Amino acid sequence: MRRLLINLCIVLGLAGFSSCGYNDMVNMEEAVAGQWSQVENVYQRRADLIPNLVKTVQASANYEKSTLEAVINARAQATSIKIDANNLTEENIAKFQAAQDQLSSSLSAFIRLLAVSEAYPQLQANSNFRDLMAELSGTENRITVERKRFNEAVQEYNAYIRRFPNNMTASMFGFEKKGYFTARPGSDTPPPVDMKF
Protein backbone atom coordinates (compact mmCIF):
# COMPACT_ATOMS: atom_id res chain seq x y z
CA MET A 1 0.00 0.00 0.00
CA ARG A 2 2.79 2.39 0.91
CA ARG A 3 4.61 1.68 -2.38
CA LEU A 4 1.40 2.34 -4.31
CA LEU A 5 0.99 5.66 -2.50
CA ILE A 6 4.61 6.66 -3.33
CA ASN A 7 4.13 5.74 -7.00
CA LEU A 8 0.90 7.72 -7.08
CA CYS A 9 2.67 10.77 -5.61
CA ILE A 10 5.43 10.46 -8.22
CA VAL A 11 2.90 10.26 -11.05
CA LEU A 12 0.95 13.22 -9.68
CA GLY A 13 4.18 15.17 -9.20
CA LEU A 14 5.24 14.54 -12.80
CA ALA A 15 1.78 15.52 -14.03
CA GLY A 16 1.98 18.66 -11.92
CA PHE A 17 5.35 19.58 -13.44
CA SER A 18 4.00 19.15 -16.94
CA SER A 19 1.20 21.58 -16.16
CA CYS A 20 3.44 24.07 -14.32
CA GLY A 21 4.97 25.26 -17.57
CA TYR A 22 8.40 23.64 -17.31
CA ASN A 23 8.14 21.97 -20.72
CA ASP A 24 6.84 25.15 -22.30
CA MET A 25 9.78 27.06 -20.82
CA VAL A 26 12.20 24.55 -22.29
CA ASN A 27 10.52 24.85 -25.70
CA MET A 28 10.56 28.66 -25.57
CA GLU A 29 14.18 28.77 -24.44
CA GLU A 30 15.09 26.51 -27.36
CA ALA A 31 13.16 28.80 -29.71
CA VAL A 32 15.20 31.76 -28.43
CA ALA A 33 18.44 29.80 -28.94
CA GLY A 34 17.36 28.81 -32.44
CA GLN A 35 16.52 32.38 -33.32
CA TRP A 36 19.87 33.53 -31.91
CA SER A 37 21.55 31.10 -34.30
CA GLN A 38 19.69 32.76 -37.17
CA VAL A 39 20.88 36.20 -36.02
CA GLU A 40 24.48 34.96 -35.91
CA ASN A 41 24.01 33.34 -39.30
CA VAL A 42 23.00 36.56 -41.07
CA TYR A 43 25.74 38.57 -39.36
CA GLN A 44 28.24 35.92 -40.47
CA ARG A 45 26.88 36.17 -44.01
CA ARG A 46 27.62 39.89 -43.96
CA ALA A 47 31.11 39.30 -42.56
CA ASP A 48 31.76 36.74 -45.31
CA LEU A 49 30.79 39.23 -48.03
CA ILE A 50 33.22 41.91 -46.85
CA PRO A 51 36.49 40.24 -48.00
CA ASN A 52 35.04 39.84 -51.50
CA LEU A 53 33.98 43.49 -51.51
CA VAL A 54 37.43 44.56 -50.34
CA LYS A 55 39.16 42.51 -53.06
CA THR A 56 36.86 43.89 -55.73
CA VAL A 57 37.45 47.48 -54.63
CA GLN A 58 41.22 46.99 -54.38
CA ALA A 59 41.34 45.55 -57.89
CA SER A 60 39.16 48.23 -59.47
CA ALA A 61 39.83 51.51 -57.74
CA ASN A 62 42.38 53.79 -56.19
CA TYR A 63 40.53 53.41 -52.90
CA GLU A 64 40.60 55.39 -49.68
CA LYS A 65 43.00 53.19 -47.72
CA SER A 66 42.14 54.38 -44.19
CA THR A 67 38.41 53.84 -44.74
CA LEU A 68 39.06 50.36 -46.11
CA GLU A 69 41.28 49.50 -43.15
CA ALA A 70 38.54 50.67 -40.76
CA VAL A 71 36.14 48.22 -42.40
CA ILE A 72 38.64 45.36 -42.17
CA ASN A 73 39.40 46.10 -38.50
CA ALA A 74 35.71 46.46 -37.60
CA ARG A 75 34.98 43.12 -39.31
CA ALA A 76 37.74 41.43 -37.28
CA GLN A 77 36.32 42.90 -34.05
CA ALA A 78 32.73 41.96 -34.91
CA THR A 79 33.58 38.37 -35.79
CA SER A 80 35.65 37.92 -32.63
CA ILE A 81 32.68 38.40 -30.30
CA LYS A 82 30.71 35.20 -29.84
CA ILE A 83 27.89 34.69 -27.36
CA ASP A 84 26.64 31.32 -26.24
CA ALA A 85 22.86 30.97 -26.59
CA ASN A 86 22.69 30.04 -22.90
CA ASN A 87 24.19 33.39 -21.91
CA LEU A 88 22.01 35.92 -23.74
CA THR A 89 22.11 38.60 -21.08
CA GLU A 90 21.46 42.24 -21.85
CA GLU A 91 25.15 43.02 -21.26
CA ASN A 92 26.40 40.33 -23.64
CA ILE A 93 23.95 41.30 -26.36
CA ALA A 94 24.98 44.95 -25.93
CA LYS A 95 28.67 43.99 -26.46
CA PHE A 96 27.76 41.95 -29.53
CA GLN A 97 25.56 44.74 -30.86
CA ALA A 98 28.24 47.40 -30.27
CA ALA A 99 30.77 45.46 -32.35
CA GLN A 100 28.20 44.87 -35.11
CA ASP A 101 27.19 48.54 -35.03
CA GLN A 102 30.83 49.57 -35.43
CA LEU A 103 31.11 47.32 -38.48
CA SER A 104 27.85 48.74 -39.87
CA SER A 105 29.13 52.27 -39.37
CA SER A 106 32.51 51.59 -41.01
CA LEU A 107 30.90 49.74 -43.88
CA SER A 108 28.35 52.52 -44.44
CA ALA A 109 31.08 55.16 -44.52
CA PHE A 110 33.07 53.09 -47.00
CA ILE A 111 30.06 52.49 -49.27
CA ARG A 112 29.02 56.17 -49.14
CA LEU A 113 32.55 57.14 -50.14
CA LEU A 114 32.42 54.82 -53.14
CA ALA A 115 28.85 55.68 -54.11
CA VAL A 116 29.25 59.44 -54.17
CA SER A 117 32.68 59.54 -55.72
CA GLU A 118 32.94 59.97 -59.45
CA ALA A 119 36.58 58.90 -59.22
CA TYR A 120 35.64 55.21 -59.48
CA PRO A 121 33.88 54.79 -62.85
CA GLN A 122 35.42 51.35 -63.49
CA LEU A 123 34.25 50.20 -60.06
CA GLN A 124 30.70 51.39 -60.68
CA ALA A 125 30.75 49.47 -63.99
CA ASN A 126 32.12 46.29 -62.36
CA SER A 127 29.37 43.65 -62.23
CA ASN A 128 31.02 41.87 -59.28
CA PHE A 129 30.88 45.12 -57.29
CA ARG A 130 27.22 45.68 -58.17
CA ASP A 131 26.36 42.08 -57.26
CA LEU A 132 28.20 42.34 -53.94
CA MET A 133 26.45 45.60 -53.13
CA ALA A 134 23.06 44.00 -53.88
CA GLU A 135 23.92 41.00 -51.68
CA LEU A 136 25.12 43.27 -48.91
CA SER A 137 21.92 45.30 -49.06
CA GLY A 138 19.83 42.10 -48.97
CA THR A 139 21.87 40.86 -46.01
CA GLU A 140 21.27 44.08 -44.10
CA ASN A 141 17.54 43.54 -44.62
CA ARG A 142 17.86 39.94 -43.38
CA ILE A 143 19.67 41.18 -40.28
CA THR A 144 16.77 43.50 -39.49
CA VAL A 145 14.24 40.70 -39.96
CA GLU A 146 16.15 38.16 -37.86
CA ARG A 147 16.77 40.66 -35.04
CA LYS A 148 13.03 41.38 -34.99
CA ARG A 149 12.20 37.66 -34.85
CA PHE A 150 14.77 37.16 -32.09
CA ASN A 151 13.26 39.98 -30.03
CA GLU A 152 9.78 38.49 -30.52
CA ALA A 153 10.96 35.06 -29.31
CA VAL A 154 12.70 36.67 -26.31
CA GLN A 155 9.60 38.73 -25.48
CA GLU A 156 7.38 35.64 -25.52
CA TYR A 157 9.85 33.70 -23.36
CA ASN A 158 10.47 36.54 -20.88
CA ALA A 159 6.75 37.23 -20.46
CA TYR A 160 6.03 33.53 -19.94
CA ILE A 161 8.62 33.01 -17.21
CA ARG A 162 7.44 36.13 -15.36
CA ARG A 163 3.76 35.08 -15.18
CA PHE A 164 2.38 33.40 -12.08
CA PRO A 165 2.74 30.44 -11.38
CA ASN A 166 5.38 30.04 -14.10
CA ASN A 167 7.67 32.45 -12.26
CA MET A 168 7.96 29.96 -9.40
CA THR A 169 8.89 27.14 -11.76
CA ALA A 170 11.32 29.40 -13.62
CA SER A 171 12.99 30.38 -10.37
CA MET A 172 13.20 26.77 -9.19
CA PHE A 173 14.83 25.55 -12.40
CA GLY A 174 17.01 28.54 -13.24
CA PHE A 175 15.16 29.95 -16.24
CA GLU A 176 16.43 33.52 -16.50
CA LYS A 177 15.36 36.55 -18.47
CA LYS A 178 17.03 36.95 -21.89
CA GLY A 179 18.30 40.21 -23.36
CA TYR A 180 16.95 42.09 -26.37
CA PHE A 181 18.49 43.86 -29.31
CA THR A 182 17.89 47.58 -28.90
CA ALA A 183 18.13 50.54 -31.22
CA ARG A 184 21.49 52.19 -31.64
CA PRO A 185 21.89 55.25 -29.38
CA GLY A 186 20.91 58.34 -31.33
CA SER A 187 18.97 56.38 -33.96
CA ASP A 188 15.81 58.23 -32.98
CA THR A 189 17.36 61.51 -34.18
CA PRO A 190 17.21 61.97 -37.96
CA PRO A 191 20.56 62.71 -39.61
CA PRO A 192 21.10 66.27 -40.83
CA VAL A 193 20.44 66.78 -44.52
CA ASP A 194 23.04 68.76 -46.42
CA MET A 195 21.43 70.29 -49.50
CA LYS A 196 24.68 71.76 -50.90
CA PHE A 197 25.52 70.61 -54.38
Side-chain angles (χ1 to χ4, degrees):
M1 181 69 170
R2 183 174 181 206
R3 186 164 180 87
L4 180 63
L5 186 59
I6 291 172
N7 287 339
L8 183 62
C9 287
I10 290 172
V11 168
L12 289 174
L14 290 174
F17 271 124
S18 68
S19 66
C20 72
Y22 177 83
N23 291 337
D24 290 335
M25 288 177 209
V26 169
N27 290 338
M28 288 178 180
E29 191 171 51
E30 287 300 314
V32 169
Q35 197 54 52
W36 177 251
S37 294
Q38 277 303 107
V39 168
E40 288 183 316
N41 183 34
V42 292
Y43 275 118
Q44 186 61 51
R45 176 184 166 82
R46 178 177 70 174
D48 291 345
L49 288 172
I50 291 171
N52 292 332
L53 180 63
V54 167
K55 286 178 190 171
T56 302
V57 170
Q58 286 176 327
S60 300
N62 184 8
Y63 56 90
E64 177 69 31
K65 189 174 181 178
S66 63
T67 308
L68 187 57
E69 287 174 355
V71 171
I72 293 167
N73 292 337
R75 178 190 180 272
Q77 174 66 23
T79 56
S80 71
I81 296 178
K82 302 287 185 197
I83 300 175
D84 185 279
N86 294 321
N87 201 12
L88 294 171
T89 63
E90 289 180 16
E91 297 82 26
N92 285 342
I93 289 178
K95 288 178 193 172
F96 181 84
Q97 183 176 346
Q100 295 299 332
D101 287 349
Q102 180 61 42
L103 177 56
S104 294
S105 179
S106 297
L107 195 55
S108 292
F110 180 62
I111 291 169
R112 275 194 309 273
L113 176 72
L114 294 174
V116 300
S117 177
E118 296 175 9
Y120 306 116
Q122 72 266 35
L123 182 61
Q124 302 300 336
N126 185 321
S127 64
N128 286 342
F129 178 74
R130 286 194 314 267
D131 292 346
L132 284 168
M133 295 305 294
E135 278 199 55
L136 201 53
S137 177
T139 300
E140 292 296 329
N141 291 336
R142 286 185 184 117
I143 288 170
T144 301
V145 168
E146 295 304 336
R147 283 174 51 147
K148 178 182 179 290
R149 288 178 180 163
F150 172 79
N151 278 350
E152 288 169 350
V154 168
Q155 186 274 330
E156 183 179 359
Y157 168 81
N158 285 347
Y160 190 82
I161 67 168
R162 290 182 58 212
R163 287 188 208 118
F164 182 81
N166 300 340
N167 59 346
M168 293 174 15
T169 304
S171 176
M172 246 190 317
F173 290 100
F175 289 96
E176 296 179 358
K177 183 181 173 193
K178 305 288 184 191
Y180 291 97
F181 276 102
T182 57
R184 208 182 300 177
S187 63
D188 56 341
T189 305
V193 177
D194 185 3
M195 299 298 282
K196 296 177 187 171
F197 293 100

